[in-house]
Amino acid sequence: MKIITTPDARLREKSERVFQIDDEVLQTIADMRKLSLDWEKQHPYELSAAMAAPQMGVNKRIIIIRDDMEDKKNATFTALINPEIIKAEGKIKTDYEGCLSVPSIYGMVPRATKVRVKAKLEDGTEVRIKATDELARTLLHEIDHLDGILFIDHIKDKENAFYKMNEKGDLEPVKDYEKEIKNNQSLWS
């Protein structure tokens, strides 16, 4: 298994509901956790906050969310099966987002600051989550993946909206976004 990246068409497909939490689903979740942490090891300045099953080519409505987004040493994730947004509300805040499947590019993405989500855990327990700020942003980002939407799709004003990480781990503005888009046209297809 590997993390797929743009322009892989599977990233643009709508994912299928999970009707039974069986060994295949549990293995998918285990693979997602492993791939997420493997990616993180290769990116010393970044934290793998979450991942969606379509990012490894599995067309199922499954996401994983890191339990502690502040501590890279805490490498545990909670899996959410068939997550649904019940309500997104609050102020719209524009902030940085990146994606395991959109390599090297970061963008300023507007998102609601509060979200309510319902889902099932690995053991089949139904949960309802009220999230704010960074957790809300992460849930919205990952649930978008399940509908074939990437964070770059939310960026309307492309001027001064894209960034790349330098060798020190700092984000620097992409000076010529039109050139960057041309070089990475597949991102926006």
Side-chain angles (χ1 to χ4, degrees):
M1 302 299 296
K2 68 176 191 167
I3 295 172
I4 62 173
T5 59
T6 55
D8 194 308
R10 294 174 289 178
L11 291 169
R12 296 303 194 165
E13 294 175 5
K14 188 167 180 153
S15 296
E16 299 172 358
R17 287 188 63 79
V18 173
F19 292 102
Q20 182 178 354
I21 302 172
D22 56 16
D23 289 344
E24 182 181 339
V25 168
L26 297 175
Q27 185 59 55
T28 296
I29 293 166
D31 291 342
M32 290 169 67
R33 287 178 172 132
K34 181 181 183 326
L35 279 175
S36 191
L37 293 173
D38 287 349
W39 178 91
E40 189 174 280
K41 287 176 189 170
Q42 297 170 9
H43 298 82
Y45 297 112
E46 296 167 283
L47 177 95
S48 178
M51 184 179 183
Q55 292 180 268
M56 59 180 218
V58 176
N59 192 15
K60 299 286 183 195
R61 296 188 79 80
I62 305 168
I63 64 174
I64 60 169
I65 302 285
R66 194 178 200 114
D67 293 333
D68 185 346
M69 291 191 219
E70 301 296 320
D71 184 4
K72 200 170 185 175
K73 293 176 186 170
N74 183 350
T76 60
F77 294 82
T78 296
L80 299 176
I81 299 165
N82 298 327
E84 292 179 42
I85 298 168
I86 297 169
K87 188 174 189 179
E89 58 188 351
K91 294 180 181 179
I92 300 298
K93 181 179 177 187
T94 300
D95 206 348
Y96 294 103
E97 283 188 32
C99 182
L100 306 180
S101 292
V102 183
S104 304
I105 300 291
Y106 295 80
M108 295 297 287
V109 180
R111 300 258 189 206
T113 55
K114 296 180 184 178
V115 68
R116 293 182 196 181
V117 173
K118 74 174 184 175
K120 285 189 177 181
L121 300 176
E122 288 172 80
D123 65 3
T125 303
E126 188 169 302
V127 294
R128 294 191 181 254
I129 301 164
K130 288 182 182 179
T132 59
D133 302 320
E134 193 62 33
L135 180 56
R137 175 174 296 279
T138 303
L139 286 164
L140 291 166
H141 177 113
E142 297 308 323
I143 293 170
D144 271 355
H145 272 297
L146 303 179
D147 293 319
I149 299 167
L150 300 175
F151 79 90
I152 55 177
D153 299 333
H154 291 288
I155 299 172
K156 303 301 179 212
D157 179 12
K158 296 186 179 7
E159 192 73 43
N160 300 318
F162 294 104
Y163 297 80
K164 284 188 149 195
M165 187 171 287
N166 67 23
E167 64 280 348
K168 295 178 184 175
D170 298 320
L171 291 180
E172 295 179 342
V174 172
K175 291 181 175 76
D176 186 351
Y177 83 94
E178 289 180 352
K179 180 179 177 184
E180 192 68 31
I181 289 172
K182 187 176 181 181
N183 289 342
N184 295 291
Q185 189 60 44
S186 59
L187 296 178
W188 285 270
S189 327

